[in-house]
């Protein structure tokens, strides 16, 4: 019986293809138009000319989850709204990513107290979250930094240097 041997460069070609695909995905993230509360205003400001989210390839806010690959959960998630959010998340094709934008999306924010019954204590209770952006409300610059963190997670390297506060 003759043993089949694979070509020695086959693995390298697939690794390069994976890198090219990851680079293309990271540089063309299409967020879904989805805002739940006041953080959505800051998300919209990030799309304006002053902050220019388009330099990251993310200016195309898609109206349909079937055309998006990034869900930015901006605001408070109420338990009544949670099934609709899960449906939208499930309709996004793979690969998909999630950014929790603001304290309410991360942990329920100031609405979490003993006896409360209507607020979900974070988007990660519903589905996996890739990047957390704290703040109340978080600045548009924080969303740009979150998108860079997501790009770094997808590609394995960062294309813009980290600027330290000084």
């Amino acid at each position: 019986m003759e043993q089949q041997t694979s070509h020695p460069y086959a693995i390298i070609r697939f690794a390069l293809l994976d890198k090219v695909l990851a680079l293309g995905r990271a540089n063309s993230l299409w967020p879904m138009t989805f805002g739940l509360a006041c953080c959505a205003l800051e998300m919209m400001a990030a799309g304006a000319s002053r902050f220019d989210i388009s330099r990251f390839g993310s200016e195309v806010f898609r109206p349909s989850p079937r055309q998006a690959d990034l869900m930015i959960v901006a605001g408070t998630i109420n338990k009544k709204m949670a099934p609709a959010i899960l449906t939208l998340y499930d309709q996004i094709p793979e690969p998909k990513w999630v950014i929790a934008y603001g304290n309410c999306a991360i942990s329920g924010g100031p609405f979490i107290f003993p006896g409360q019954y209507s607020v979900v204590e974070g988007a990660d209770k519903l589905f996996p979250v890739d990047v957390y952006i704290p703040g109340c409300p978080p600045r548009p610059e924080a969303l740009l930094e979150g998108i860079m963190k997501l790009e770094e997670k997808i590609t394995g390297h960062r294309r813009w240097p980290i600027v330290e506060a000084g």
Side-chain angles (χ1 to χ4, degrees):
M1 185 174 216
E2 199 174 307
Q3 184 179 9
Q4 282 187 324
T5 58
S6 64
H7 196 272
Y9 298 114
I11 295 173
I12 295 171
R13 285 189 187 136
F14 287 128
L16 288 175
L17 179 63
D18 288 343
K19 283 185 178 182
V20 169
L21 288 175
L23 184 65
R25 287 178 180 141
N27 290 322
S28 63
L29 293 169
W30 286 3
M32 185 176 61
T33 305
F34 188 71
L36 295 167
C38 44
C39 293
L41 297 173
E42 299 295 322
M43 181 178 67
M44 288 183 257
S49 60
R50 181 173 184 177
F51 300 104
D52 193 23
I53 201 172
S54 64
R55 64 189 139 157
F56 301 102
S58 301
E59 76 274 10
V60 183
F61 278 87
R62 306 310 299 181
S64 168
R66 291 176 183 89
Q67 300 170 350
D69 58 3
L70 171 62
M71 179 184 239
I72 303 172
V73 181
T76 311
I77 303 171
N78 292 316
K79 290 185 180 173
K80 191 173 187 179
M81 188 70 173
I85 296 169
L86 275 171
T87 300
L88 290 172
Y89 175 78
D90 290 338
Q91 289 177 348
I92 298 174
E94 292 288 341
K96 56 187 165 187
W97 298 278
V98 176
I99 293 178
Y101 187 57
N103 291 344
C104 293
I106 292 172
S107 65
F111 305 109
I112 299 302
F113 53 87
Q116 77 86 17
Y117 58 89
S118 64
V119 175
V120 176
E121 297 181 16
D124 55 1
K125 303 286 188 217
L126 302 175
F127 38 72
V129 175
D130 297 295
V131 176
Y132 296 91
I133 302 173
C136 185
R139 296 278 306 149
E141 295 94 338
L143 180 58
L144 299 180
E145 177 63 28
I147 289 174
M148 287 189 280
K149 288 287 184 193
L150 185 57
E151 288 178 358
E152 184 178 354
K153 184 175 184 175
I154 294 169
T155 62
H157 69 278
R158 186 176 173 99
R159 73 172 154 158
W160 301 98
I162 296 175
V163 179
E164 298 294 330

